[in-house]
Amino acid sequence: MKNFKRFTALFLAMLMLFSLSACGNSTTSDKGTEEATTSAFDIMSQFNEIGVSYPLTVTDQAGRTVTFEKAPEKIASSYYISTSLLLALGLQDKLVGIEAKANTRNIYKLAAPAIVSLPNMGTAKEFNTEACVAAAPDVVFLPMKLKKTADTLESLGIKAVVVNPEDQSLLEECITLVGKITNNVGRAEALNNSIKTFLADNKTNVSGENTPSVYLAGNSSVLSTAGSKMYQNTLLTNAGGKNVASELTDTYWANVSYEQILAWNPDYIVIAADATYTVEDILNDANLAGCNAVKNKNVVKLPNDIEAWDSPVPGSFLGSIYIASVLHPEKVTKDFYETCVTKFYESFYGFTPAK
């Protein structure tokens, strides 16, 4: 029966991929795009009945082995990425603690406003062990930066799982891991199938097109960018663009000079969703006046009214679709992008985004 369900899920995913393949094509009507997208999400979101056998032993994304005697009833997360994923898996009612600055996350206010007032588990720089112990979670999800904290929590009798979704493959692995631990395998499969289907569709739509060069400017400064080891590099390649900073191998935001940006001379500049500066700031920056992206006014900022898609959250594929609609508007339409956003958050987060 298990194999049959997997085969069925795979077959339906392939079927949906076929039905979506023309969604972004300029010869497809907006109505046809919406119908195909709706059908895909309606089918995928129904895979909710796959159970997990406990005791369950898993290997987290830091290579640590963790055993669960039963599905966790009380869950904590000190990482925005894992918190957003837990909401996508429908687990908001089991959360007993989340990361600091939760009130700055629009996605929480839209999908599960009550979690904003949960105990603060701290940040990647300073974990709140005392608050975590007081909340007594059955499992805590942590970023790779808190691997040592995970070991400390284990010594205190608290199960800790490290996640590290820093590329598309690792994000898929992360979704599968969290779905398995929380006894939500079916919903996790539906989520992964949705992401893979739309990214495959996006790749099909922009295949054979020119590959514009893109500079992705970080949150704090236009002189901060993401290299090949960060999820943001995947975001750009999935959109049919080439990251000019792919030669950089930093695992965090790298600082560069104006001279370096001018040497790369990107066709487009994409600003991170939570940046503290604007498109106008870049267009009016005399230091970048000679850059092709500025000359041609090809500067955009990623939307941030829901969540930061330049982070490896489940909805990050929407960032790629948005960027594709900027780089290849004749292949990936704005209407298609907006439909994807609406159907995704309705299906997995339970709210309809404002337009």
Side-chain angles (χ1 to χ4, degrees), residues 159-233:
K159 305 285 186 186
V161 172
V162 177
V163 295
N164 185 42
E166 279 301 333
D167 62 31
Q168 202 65 50
S169 176
L170 288 173
L171 175 58
E172 180 180 349
E173 180 183 282
C174 176
I175 293 171
T176 298
L177 174 67
V178 176
K180 185 180 294 184
I181 291 169
T182 60
N183 197 16
N184 275 273
V185 172
R187 193 174 175 103
E189 285 189 358
L191 184 55
N192 271 330
N193 283 341
S194 297
I195 295 169
K196 288 189 290 186
T197 298
F198 282 104
L199 285 178
D201 174 60
N202 206 58
K203 183 177 180 180
T204 298
N205 287 334
V206 302
S207 65
E209 297 297 304
N210 292 329
T211 305
S213 59
V214 184
Y215 176 82
L216 198 150
N219 289 330
S220 59
S221 167
V222 68
L223 298 180
S224 173
T225 194
S228 60
K229 299 297 183 182
M230 294 183 66
Y231 184 82
Q232 288 79 0
N233 185 73

Coordinates of all heavy atoms in Angstrom, one line a residue, residues 159-233:
K159 N 14.8 17.0 22.9 CA 15.2 16.6 21.5 C 15.4 17.9 20.6 O 14.6 18.8 20.7 CB 14.0 15.8 20.9 CG 13.6 14.6 21.7 CD 14.6 13.5 21.6 CE 14.0 12.2 22.2 NZ 15.1 11.1 22.3
A160 N 16.5 17.9 19.9 CA 16.8 19.0 19.1 C 17.2 18.5 17.7 O 17.9 17.5 17.5 CB 18.0 19.8 19.7
V161 N 16.7 19.2 16.7 CA 17.0 18.8 15.3 C 17.5 20.1 14.5 O 16.9 21.1 14.6 CB 15.7 18.3 14.6 CG1 15.9 18.1 13.1 CG2 15.2 17.1 15.2
V162 N 18.6 19.9 13.9 CA 19.3 21.0 13.1 C 18.8 20.9 11.6 O 18.9 19.8 11.0 CB 20.8 20.9 13.2 CG1 21.4 22.0 12.4 CG2 21.2 21.0 14.7
V163 N 18.4 22.0 11.1 CA 18.1 22.0 9.6 C 19.0 23.0 8.9 O 19.4 24.0 9.5 CB 16.6 22.4 9.4 CG1 15.7 21.3 10.0 CG2 16.2 23.7 10.1
N164 N 19.2 22.8 7.6 CA 20.1 23.6 6.9 C 19.7 23.7 5.4 O 20.4 23.2 4.5 CB 21.5 23.1 7.0 CG 22.6 24.0 6.3 OD1 22.5 25.2 6.5 ND2 23.5 23.3 5.6
P165 N 18.6 24.3 5.1 CA 18.0 24.3 3.7 C 18.7 25.3 2.8 O 18.0 26.2 2.3 CB 16.6 24.6 3.9 CG 16.6 25.5 5.1 CD 17.7 25.0 6.0
E166 N 20.0 25.2 2.5 CA 20.7 26.3 1.8 C 20.8 26.1 0.3 O 21.5 26.8 -0.4 CB 22.1 26.4 2.4 CG 22.2 27.3 3.7 CD 21.6 28.7 3.5 OE1 21.7 29.2 2.4 OE2 21.1 29.2 4.5
D167 N 20.1 25.1 -0.2 CA 19.8 25.1 -1.7 C 18.5 24.3 -1.9 O 17.9 23.8 -0.9 CB 21.0 24.4 -2.5 CG 21.3 23.0 -2.1 OD1 20.4 22.2 -1.7 OD2 22.5 22.6 -2.1
Q168 N 18.1 24.2 -3.2 CA 16.8 23.6 -3.4 C 16.7 22.1 -2.9 O 15.7 21.7 -2.4 CB 16.5 23.6 -4.9 CG 15.0 23.6 -5.2 CD 14.3 24.8 -4.7 OE1 14.6 25.9 -4.9 NE2 13.2 24.5 -4.0
S169 N 17.8 21.4 -3.2 CA 17.8 20.0 -2.7 C 17.8 19.9 -1.2 O 17.0 19.0 -0.6 CB 19.1 19.3 -3.2 OG 19.2 18.0 -2.8
L170 N 18.5 20.7 -0.5 CA 18.5 20.7 1.0 C 17.2 21.2 1.5 O 16.7 20.7 2.6 CB 19.6 21.6 1.5 CG 21.0 21.0 1.3 CD1 22.1 22.0 1.7 CD2 21.2 19.7 2.1
L171 N 16.5 22.1 0.8 CA 15.2 22.6 1.3 C 14.2 21.4 1.2 O 13.4 21.2 2.1 CB 14.7 23.7 0.4 CG 13.3 24.2 0.7 CD1 13.1 24.6 2.1 CD2 12.9 25.4 -0.3
E172 N 14.2 20.7 0.1 CA 13.4 19.5 -0.1 C 13.6 18.5 1.0 O 12.7 17.9 1.6 CB 13.6 18.9 -1.5 CG 12.7 17.7 -1.7 CD 12.9 17.0 -3.1 OE1 13.6 17.7 -3.9 OE2 12.4 15.9 -3.3
E173 N 14.9 18.3 1.3 CA 15.3 17.3 2.3 C 14.8 17.8 3.7 O 14.3 17.0 4.5 CB 16.8 17.2 2.4 CG 17.4 16.3 3.4 CD 18.9 16.3 3.4 OE1 19.5 15.6 2.5 OE2 19.5 16.9 4.3
C174 N 14.9 19.1 3.9 CA 14.4 19.7 5.2 C 12.9 19.5 5.3 O 12.4 19.1 6.4 CB 14.7 21.2 5.2 SG 14.1 22.1 6.6
I175 N 12.1 19.7 4.3 CA 10.7 19.6 4.3 C 10.3 18.1 4.6 O 9.5 17.8 5.5 CB 10.0 20.0 3.0 CG1 10.2 21.6 2.9 CG2 8.6 19.6 2.9 CD1 9.8 22.1 1.5
T176 N 11.0 17.2 4.0 CA 10.8 15.8 4.2 C 11.1 15.4 5.6 O 10.3 14.7 6.3 CB 11.6 14.9 3.2 OG1 11.2 15.2 1.9 CG2 11.4 13.4 3.5
L177 N 12.2 15.9 6.2 CA 12.7 15.6 7.5 C 11.6 16.0 8.5 O 11.2 15.3 9.4 CB 14.0 16.2 7.8 CG 14.6 16.1 9.2 CD1 15.0 14.7 9.5 CD2 15.8 17.0 9.3
V178 N 11.2 17.3 8.4 CA 10.3 17.9 9.4 C 8.9 17.2 9.3 O 8.3 16.9 10.3 CB 10.2 19.4 9.2 CG1 9.1 20.0 10.2 CG2 11.5 20.1 9.5
G179 N 8.5 16.9 8.1 CA 7.3 16.2 7.9 C 7.3 14.8 8.5 O 6.3 14.4 9.1
K180 N 8.4 14.1 8.4 CA 8.5 12.8 9.0 C 8.5 12.8 10.5 O 7.7 12.1 11.2 CB 9.8 12.1 8.5 CG 9.9 10.6 9.0 CD 11.2 10.0 8.5 CE 11.2 9.9 6.9 NZ 12.4 9.2 6.5
I181 N 9.2 13.7 11.1 CA 9.3 13.8 12.5 C 8.0 14.2 13.1 O 7.6 13.6 14.2 CB 10.3 14.9 12.9 CG1 11.8 14.5 12.6 CG2 10.2 15.3 14.4 CD1 12.8 15.6 12.7
T182 N 7.2 15.0 12.5 CA 5.9 15.5 13.0 C 4.7 14.7 12.6 O 3.6 15.1 12.8 CB 5.7 17.0 12.6 OG1 5.7 17.1 11.2 CG2 6.8 17.9 13.2
N183 N 5.0 13.6 11.9 CA 3.9 12.7 11.4 C 3.0 13.5 10.4 O 1.8 13.4 10.4 CB 3.0 12.2 12.6 CG 2.2 11.0 12.1 OD1 2.5 10.4 11.1 ND2 1.2 10.7 12.9
N184 N 3.7 14.2 9.5 CA 3.0 14.9 8.4 C 3.6 14.6 7.1 O 3.8 15.5 6.3 CB 3.1 16.4 8.7 CG 2.0 16.9 9.6 OD1 0.9 17.2 9.2 ND2 2.3 16.9 10.9
V185 N 3.9 13.4 6.8 CA 4.6 13.0 5.6 C 3.8 13.3 4.4 O 4.3 13.8 3.4 CB 4.9 11.4 5.6 CG1 5.4 11.0 4.3 CG2 5.9 11.1 6.7
G186 N 2.5 13.1 4.4 CA 1.6 13.4 3.3 C 1.6 14.8 2.9 O 1.7 15.2 1.7
R187 N 1.5 15.7 3.9 CA 1.4 17.1 3.6 C 2.8 17.6 3.1 O 2.9 18.5 2.3 CB 1.0 17.9 4.8 CG 0.6 19.4 4.6 CD 0.1 20.0 5.8 NE -0.2 21.4 5.7 CZ -1.4 22.0 5.4 NH1 -2.5 21.2 5.3 NH2 -1.5 23.3 5.3
A188 N 3.9 17.0 3.7 CA 5.2 17.4 3.3 C 5.5 17.0 1.8 O 6.1 17.7 1.1 CB 6.3 16.7 4.2
E189 N 5.0 15.8 1.5 CA 5.1 15.4 0.1 C 4.3 16.3 -0.9 O 4.8 16.7 -1.9 CB 4.6 14.0 -0.1 CG 5.6 12.9 0.4 CD 5.1 11.5 0.1 OE1 4.1 11.3 -0.6 OE2 5.8 10.6 0.4
A190 N 3.1 16.7 -0.4 CA 2.3 17.7 -1.2 C 3.1 19.0 -1.4 O 3.1 19.6 -2.5 CB 1.0 17.9 -0.6
L191 N 3.7 19.4 -0.3 CA 4.5 20.7 -0.4 C 5.6 20.6 -1.3 O 5.9 21.4 -2.2 CB 4.9 21.1 1.0 CG 5.7 22.4 1.2 CD1 4.8 23.6 0.7 CD2 6.0 22.6 2.7
N192 N 6.4 19.5 -1.2 CA 7.6 19.3 -2.1 C 7.1 19.1 -3.5 O 7.7 19.7 -4.5 CB 8.4 18.1 -1.7 CG 9.4 18.4 -0.6 OD1 10.0 19.5 -0.6 ND2 9.7 17.5 0.2
N193 N 6.0 18.4 -3.8 CA 5.5 18.2 -5.1 C 5.1 19.5 -5.8 O 5.3 19.8 -6.9 CB 4.4 17.2 -5.2 CG 4.8 15.8 -5.0 OD1 6.0 15.5 -5.3 ND2 3.9 14.9 -4.6
S194 N 4.5 20.4 -4.9 CA 4.1 21.7 -5.4 C 5.3 22.5 -5.9 O 5.3 23.1 -7.0 CB 3.3 22.5 -4.3 OG 2.1 21.8 -4.0
I195 N 6.3 22.6 -5.0 CA 7.5 23.4 -5.3 C 8.2 22.8 -6.5 O 8.5 23.6 -7.5 CB 8.4 23.3 -4.1 CG1 7.8 24.0 -2.9 CG2 9.8 24.0 -4.4 CD1 8.5 23.8 -1.6
K196 N 8.4 21.5 -6.6 CA 9.1 20.9 -7.8 C 8.3 21.1 -9.1 O 8.9 21.4 -10.1 CB 9.3 19.4 -7.5 CG 10.4 19.2 -6.5 CD 10.8 17.7 -6.4 CE 9.6 16.9 -5.8 NZ 10.1 15.4 -5.6
T197 N 7.0 21.0 -9.0 CA 6.2 21.2 -10.2 C 6.3 22.6 -10.7 O 6.5 22.8 -11.9 CB 4.7 20.9 -9.9 OG1 4.6 19.5 -9.5 CG2 3.8 21.1 -11.1
F198 N 6.2 23.6 -9.9 CA 6.2 25.0 -10.4 C 7.6 25.4 -10.8 O 7.8 26.1 -11.8 CB 5.7 25.9 -9.3 CG 4.2 25.9 -9.3 CD1 3.5 25.3 -8.3 CD2 3.5 26.6 -10.3 CE1 2.1 25.3 -8.3 CE2 2.1 26.5 -10.3 CZ 1.4 25.9 -9.3
L199 N 8.7 24.9 -10.1 CA 10.0 25.2 -10.6 C 10.3 24.5 -11.9 O 11.0 25.1 -12.8 CB 11.0 24.7 -9.5 CG 11.1 25.6 -8.3 CD1 12.1 25.1 -7.3 CD2 11.5 27.1 -8.6
A200 N 9.8 23.3 -12.1 CA 10.0 22.6 -13.4 C 9.3 23.4 -14.5 O 9.8 23.5 -15.6 CB 9.5 21.2 -13.3
D201 N 8.1 23.8 -14.2 CA 7.3 24.6 -15.1 C 8.0 25.9 -15.5 O 8.1 26.3 -16.7 CB 5.9 24.9 -14.5 CG 5.1 25.8 -15.4 OD1 4.9 25.5 -16.6 OD2 4.8 26.9 -15.0
N202 N 8.6 26.5 -14.5 CA 9.3 27.8 -14.7 C 10.5 27.6 -15.6 O 10.8 28.3 -16.5 CB 9.8 28.4 -13.3 CG 9.9 29.9 -13.4 OD1 9.0 30.6 -13.7 ND2 11.1 30.3 -13.1
K203 N 11.3 26.5 -15.3 CA 12.4 26.1 -16.1 C 12.1 25.9 -17.6 O 12.7 26.3 -18.5 CB 13.1 24.9 -15.5 CG 14.4 24.5 -16.2 CD 15.1 23.3 -15.5 CE 16.4 22.9 -16.2 NZ 17.0 21.8 -15.6
T204 N 10.9 25.2 -17.8 CA 10.5 24.9 -19.1 C 10.1 26.2 -19.8 O 10.5 26.4 -21.0 CB 9.2 24.0 -19.1 OG1 9.6 22.7 -18.5 CG2 8.7 23.8 -20.5
N205 N 9.5 27.1 -19.1 CA 9.1 28.4 -19.7 C 10.2 29.2 -20.2 O 10.1 29.9 -21.2 CB 8.2 29.2 -18.8 CG 6.8 28.6 -18.6 OD1 6.3 27.9 -19.5 ND2 6.2 28.8 -17.4
V206 N 11.3 29.2 -19.5 CA 12.4 30.1 -19.8 C 13.6 29.4 -20.6 O 14.6 30.1 -20.9 CB 13.0 30.8 -18.5 CG1 11.9 31.6 -17.8 CG2 13.6 29.8 -17.6
S207 N 13.4 28.1 -20.8 CA 14.5 27.4 -21.5 C 14.6 27.9 -22.9 O 13.6 28.3 -23.6 CB 14.1 25.9 -21.6 OG 13.0 25.7 -22.3
G208 N 15.8 28.0 -23.4 CA 16.1 28.5 -24.8 C 16.1 30.0 -24.8 O 16.5 30.6 -25.9
E209 N 15.8 30.7 -23.7 CA 15.9 32.2 -23.6 C 17.4 32.6 -23.3 O 18.1 31.8 -22.8 CB 14.9 32.7 -22.6 CG 13.5 32.4 -22.9 CD 13.0 33.1 -24.2 OE1 13.2 34.3 -24.3 OE2 12.5 32.4 -25.1
N210 N 17.7 33.8 -23.5 CA 18.9 34.4 -23.1 C 19.0 34.3 -21.5 O 17.9 34.4 -20.9 CB 19.1 35.8 -23.5 CG 19.3 35.9 -25.0 OD1 19.9 35.0 -25.7 ND2 18.8 37.0 -25.7
T211 N 20.1 34.2 -21.0 CA 20.3 34.2 -19.5 C 20.9 35.5 -19.0 O 22.1 35.7 -19.0 CB 21.2 33.0 -19.1 OG1 20.7 31.8 -19.6 CG2 21.2 32.9 -17.6
P212 N 20.0 36.4 -18.6 CA 20.5 37.7 -18.1 C 21.4 37.6 -16.9 O 21.2 36.7 -16.0 CB 19.2 38.5 -17.8 CG 18.1 37.8 -18.5 CD 18.6 36.3 -18.5
S213 N 22.4 38.4 -16.7 CA 23.2 38.4 -15.5 C 22.5 39.3 -14.4 O 22.0 40.3 -14.7 CB 24.6 39.0 -15.8 OG 24.5 40.3 -16.3
V214 N 22.6 38.8 -13.2 CA 21.9 39.4 -12.1 C 22.8 39.6 -10.9 O 23.5 38.7 -10.5 CB 20.6 38.6 -11.7 CG1 19.8 39.3 -10.6 CG2 19.7 38.3 -12.9
Y215 N 22.7 40.8 -10.3 CA 23.4 41.0 -9.0 C 22.3 41.1 -8.0 O 21.3 41.9 -8.1 CB 24.1 42.3 -9.1 CG 24.8 42.7 -7.8 CD1 26.0 42.2 -7.4 CD2 24.2 43.6 -6.9 CE1 26.6 42.5 -6.2 CE2 24.8 44.0 -5.7 CZ 26.0 43.4 -5.3 OH 26.6 43.8 -4.2
L216 N 22.4 40.2 -6.9 CA 21.4 40.3 -5.8 C 22.0 41.0 -4.7 O 23.0 40.6 -4.1 CB 21.0 38.9 -5.4 CG 19.7 38.8 -4.6 CD1 19.0 37.5 -4.8 CD2 20.0 39.0 -3.1
A217 N 21.4 42.2 -4.4 CA 21.9 43.1 -3.3 C 21.3 42.7 -2.0 O 20.1 42.4 -1.9 CB 21.6 44.5 -3.7
G218 N 22.1 42.6 -0.9 CA 21.7 42.1 0.4 C 20.8 43.1 1.2 O 20.6 44.3 0.7
N219 N 20.4 42.7 2.3 CA 19.5 43.5 3.2 C 20.1 44.8 3.7 O 19.5 45.8 3.7 CB 19.0 42.6 4.4 CG 18.1 41.5 4.0 OD1 17.3 41.7 3.0 ND2 18.1 40.4 4.8
S220 N 21.4 44.7 4.1 CA 22.0 45.8 4.8 C 22.6 46.8 3.9 O 22.6 48.0 4.2 CB 23.1 45.3 5.7 OG 24.1 44.6 5.0
S221 N 23.0 46.4 2.7 CA 23.7 47.4 1.8 C 23.8 46.8 0.4 O 23.8 45.6 0.1 CB 25.2 47.6 2.3 OG 26.0 48.2 1.3
V222 N 23.8 47.7 -0.6 CA 23.9 47.3 -2.0 C 25.3 46.6 -2.2 O 25.5 45.9 -3.2 CB 23.8 48.5 -2.9 CG1 24.9 49.5 -2.8 CG2 23.6 48.1 -4.4
L223 N 26.3 46.9 -1.3 CA 27.6 46.3 -1.4 C 27.7 44.9 -0.7 O 28.8 44.4 -0.5 CB 28.6 47.3 -0.9 CG 28.7 48.6 -1.6 CD1 29.8 49.5 -0.9 CD2 29.0 48.4 -3.1
S224 N 26.5 44.4 -0.4 CA 26.5 43.0 0.2 C 25.8 42.1 -0.8 O 24.7 42.5 -1.3 CB 25.7 43.1 1.5 OG 25.5 41.8 2.0
T225 N 26.3 40.9 -1.0 CA 25.7 40.0 -2.0 C 25.9 38.6 -1.7 O 26.6 38.2 -0.7 CB 26.3 40.3 -3.4 OG1 25.5 39.7 -4.4 CG2 27.7 39.8 -3.6
A226 N 25.2 37.7 -2.4 CA 25.2 36.3 -2.1 C 26.0 35.5 -3.1 O 25.8 35.7 -4.3 CB 23.7 35.7 -2.0
G227 N 26.9 34.6 -2.7 CA 27.6 33.8 -3.6 C 27.0 32.5 -3.9 O 25.8 32.3 -3.6
S228 N 27.8 31.5 -4.4 CA 27.3 30.3 -4.9 C 26.8 29.3 -3.7 O 26.1 28.4 -4.0 CB 28.3 29.6 -5.7 OG 29.5 29.3 -5.0
K229 N 27.3 29.6 -2.5 CA 27.0 28.7 -1.4 C 25.7 29.1 -0.7 O 25.3 28.4 0.3 CB 28.1 28.7 -0.4 CG 29.4 28.2 -0.9 CD 29.4 26.7 -1.4 CE 30.8 26.3 -1.8 NZ 30.7 24.9 -2.3
M230 N 25.0 30.1 -1.1 CA 23.8 30.6 -0.4 C 22.6 30.3 -1.3 O 22.6 30.2 -2.5 CB 23.9 32.1 -0.2 CG 25.0 32.4 0.8 SD 25.0 34.2 1.2 CE 23.4 34.4 2.1
Y231 N 21.4 30.2 -0.6 CA 20.2 29.8 -1.3 C 19.9 30.9 -2.3 O 19.2 30.5 -3.4 CB 19.0 29.7 -0.3 CG 17.8 29.3 -0.9 CD1 17.5 28.0 -1.2 CD2 16.8 30.3 -1.4 CE1 16.4 27.6 -1.9 CE2 15.7 29.9 -2.0 CZ 15.5 28.5 -2.3 OH 14.3 28.1 -3.0
Q232 N 20.2 32.1 -2.1 CA 19.9 33.2 -3.1 C 20.5 32.9 -4.5 O 19.9 33.3 -5.5 CB 20.4 34.5 -2.6 CG 19.7 35.1 -1.4 CD 20.0 34.4 -0.1 OE1 20.8 33.5 0.0 NE2 19.4 34.9 1.0
N233 N 21.6 32.1 -4.5 CA 22.1 31.7 -5.8 C 21.2 30.8 -6.6 O 20.9 31.0 -7.8 CB 23.5 31.0 -5.6 CG 24.2 30.7 -6.9 OD1 24.7 31.6 -7.6 ND2 24.2 29.4 -7.3

